[in-house]
Amino acid sequence: MGPILYIVMESDLHTLSRSNIMFKYADDTNLLVPAYSDLLSEFEHVKQLAADNKMIINISKTKEIIFQRPSLKHFLAPSALCGIEQVSSAKLLGVIFKNNLSFNEHVTAVLKCCSQHAYILKLLQHQGMLQIHLDTVFHALIMSKIRYALCAWEAF
C-alpha cells in the first residue's frame, strides 16, 4: 500500500515556479531547479506539503546535485541546503548522472555488471547449458542491462 498511498498523497504536489520541474515516480520525487530560481523556497514548499499531509521526508536520503557545464574551468558551487548532502553524482531510475554531465561513471558500472554476468554465462556453458538457452540468458542479463535507458546516455 505504501507506493499507492504516496501517489495519492503527492498528487497535489507541484512546483512554485513554472521554471522548475518535478519528476515523480512511484515513491520517489525529484526536483529540478535552474540556477536563477529559488531552491530554498521550493524545498520549503515540499516540506510544508509533506507536513500538511502527515508525511515525513527522509532527509538522510535527500541529496542535492548541482549540474555544471563540463568545460567550465572555475565554478563556485552554492552552499548546500541545511542538512542536505551535496553530491557529485546521483542515481536516478538506474542511471548514474554526474554533475559535469559525464556518463563515464554509469558506463563503468554497466560494464562491471555485464562482466560479472559474462562470468555467470561462462559457468553455465561449462555446466553444459545449450547454446539456445545461453542466448536467452545473455539477452536477459547482459543485453537488457546495456539497452536500459540507452537513449539517455548513448551519445556519451
Side-chain angles (χ1 to χ4, degrees), residues 2 7 14 16 19-20 26-27 42 47 51 53 60 68 72 77 80 89 93 101 113 119 131-132 135 137-138:
I7 291 169
H14 60 280
L16 293 174
S19 63
N20 302 334
D27 64 347
E42 282 290 356
K47 289 194 314 189
N53 287 295
S60 67
Q68 64 191 50
L72 204 57
S89 64
L93 298 177
L101 304 176
C113 183
Y119 178 72
Q131 187 62 44
I132 189 166
D135 289 345
V137 174
F138 169 77

Side-chain angles (χ1 to χ4, degrees), residues 50-65:
D52 292 348
N53 287 295
K54 310 287 190 268
M55 295 189 307
I56 298 170
I57 294 176
N58 189 341
I59 296 296
S60 67
K61 288 185 173 182
T62 302
K63 308 291 182 220
E64 177 183 11
I65 184 168

Side-chain angles (χ1 to χ4, degrees), residues 96-120:
I96 301 171
F97 291 88
K98 191 87 170 116
N99 63 349
N100 64 357
L101 304 176
S102 164
F103 282 90
N104 291 345
E105 194 174 328
H106 179 74
V107 171
T108 300
V110 168
L111 290 174
K112 180 180 177 183
C113 183
C114 289
S115 175
Q116 292 167 347
H117 290 159
Y119 178 72
I120 292 170

Side-chain angles (χ1 to χ4, degrees), residues 2-144:
I4 294 169
L5 289 176
Y6 178 78
I7 291 169
V8 170
M9 298 291 279
E10 76 154 6
S11 62
D12 59 346
L13 179 59
H14 60 280
T15 61
L16 293 174
S17 170
R18 288 186 175 177
S19 63
N20 302 334
I21 302 169
M22 190 162 301
F23 301 98
K24 303 178 218 176
Y25 182 77
D27 64 347
D28 200 15
T29 302
N30 297 278
L31 180 62
L32 184 62
V33 179
Y36 58 82
S37 194
D38 185 8
L39 175 61
L40 183 58
S41 294
E42 282 290 356
F43 189 60
E44 290 299 325
H45 172 69
V46 170
K47 289 194 314 189
Q48 185 59 51
L49 184 111
D52 292 348
N53 287 295
K54 310 287 190 268
M55 295 189 307
I56 298 170
I57 294 176
N58 189 341
I59 296 296
S60 67
K61 288 185 173 182
T62 302
K63 308 291 182 220
E64 177 183 11
I65 184 168
I66 300 170
F67 294 102
Q68 64 191 50
R69 290 186 204 134
S71 60
L72 204 57
K73 300 230 186 285
H74 302 287
F75 177 74
L76 182 61
S79 57
L81 292 174
C82 185
I84 306 299
E85 180 186 1
Q86 231 175 41
V87 296
S88 62
S89 64
K91 194 172 198 176
L92 177 61
L93 298 177
V95 178
I96 301 171
F97 291 88
K98 191 87 170 116
N99 63 349
N100 64 357
L101 304 176
S102 164
F103 282 90
N104 291 345
E105 194 174 328
H106 179 74
V107 171
T108 300
V110 168
L111 290 174
K112 180 180 177 183
C113 183
C114 289
S115 175
Q116 292 167 347
H117 290 159
Y119 178 72
I120 292 170
L121 278 172
K122 183 179 178 182
L123 291 177
L124 292 173
Q125 185 180 34
H126 285 291
Q127 293 289 325
M129 183 177 270
L130 296 174
Q131 187 62 44
I132 189 166
H133 300 304
L134 286 171
D135 289 345
T136 301
V137 174
F138 169 77
H139 283 279
L141 292 180
I142 295 177
M143 290 307 294
S144 64

